[in-house]
Amino acid sequence: MTYECFLSFSFKPFNNGMEDTMTVSARREFFSTLALLGGIAAVGAPAPAAAQTPSKRFVKREASERSGYSQAVVTQGERTVWLAGHTGAVDPSGKSLAGDFDAQVREVFAFMERTLVQSGATLSDLVTMTVFLTDPRNHPRMTAIRREILGRDFPASASISISHLASPNALIEIQGVAVVS
């Protein structure tokens, strides 16, 4: 849809070294035309998109399926929750889990679940996670526990080996993104 508009304005002629000024009637005509153009633009503007039906699709491959993650998770029309890094060096009662990798992995996921519930989400809403491990030899064990905890549909994931975490007793840290329907 195309609209054409031709504007004409009356200006007071340059007078006695003073600046050019618009007459009152020219100002009225200018602002009336401006309002008209704004109305025409609003009529021709596209309508807001209709609400999208929330959806989530998991892109899987055999190798990633064995390791308990998806190559990608495609989402549409939902709310996003960004999780900070979660560690599990201590349990909720304050007991140290130093040196117990399995317990730390389980505690990290439990801690993430508590955070997600406070955000109106669950672990099943995770679409991606980044796992930081202080020992890459722990990756297969983390994968087995993650598969056990998350079940069938896994988030996209990356695993990064680092020398240490902020907490000296932490062996694993996970940050993630959840998308809530």
Side-chain angles (χ1 to χ4, degrees):
M1 185 181 292
T2 304
Y3 298 99
E4 291 185 30
C5 183
F6 298 96
L7 301 174
S8 65
F9 300 98
S10 302
F11 289 94
K12 195 174 189 180
F14 193 69
N15 189 5
N16 299 329
M18 299 179 66
E19 300 178 6
D20 288 342
T21 57
M22 290 177 96
T23 64
V24 172
S25 62
R27 261 185 262 152
R28 270 194 202 114
E29 182 182 349
F30 174 78
F31 287 109
S32 295
T33 304
L34 190 60
L36 176 66
L37 288 174
I40 291 171
V43 168
Q52 297 176 352
T53 303
S55 67
K56 192 182 319 180
R57 181 175 56 89
F58 295 87
V59 178
K60 299 180 179 188
R61 295 198 178 107
E62 188 177 323
S64 60
E65 184 80 13
R66 280 194 309 271
S67 293
Y69 71 95
S70 296
Q71 289 293 314
V73 180
V74 182
T75 64
Q76 179 176 320
E78 300 168 4
R79 184 170 48 92
T80 304
V81 179
W82 300 83
L83 291 172
H86 285 60
T87 61
V90 295
D91 71 10
S93 71
K95 177 186 168 201
S96 173
L97 301 176
D100 188 344
F101 183 76
D102 285 19
Q104 285 196 27
V105 173
R106 292 180 191 289
E107 181 52 39
V108 167
F109 279 103
F111 185 20
M112 289 172 64
E113 178 77 24
R114 290 190 298 271
T115 302
L116 287 165
V117 166
Q118 287 180 313
S119 304
T122 66
L123 285 174
S124 65
D125 295 316
L126 284 170
V127 294
T128 189
M129 64 172 53
T130 304
V131 180
F132 300 94
L133 298 169
T134 59
D135 186 343
R137 294 173 293 186
N138 286 329
H139 185 267
R141 187 65 192 136
M142 182 277 303
T143 296
I145 296 169
R146 175 174 62 186
R147 289 180 62 79
E148 175 188 319
I149 292 170
L150 296 180
R152 183 173 170 266
D153 289 326
F154 310 112
S157 181
S159 181
I160 301 170
S161 296
I162 58 174
S163 63
H164 63 279
L165 294 162
S167 168
N169 293 326
L171 302 173
I172 182 172
E173 181 172 329
I174 300 175
Q175 68 181 28
V177 177
V179 177
V180 185
S181 301

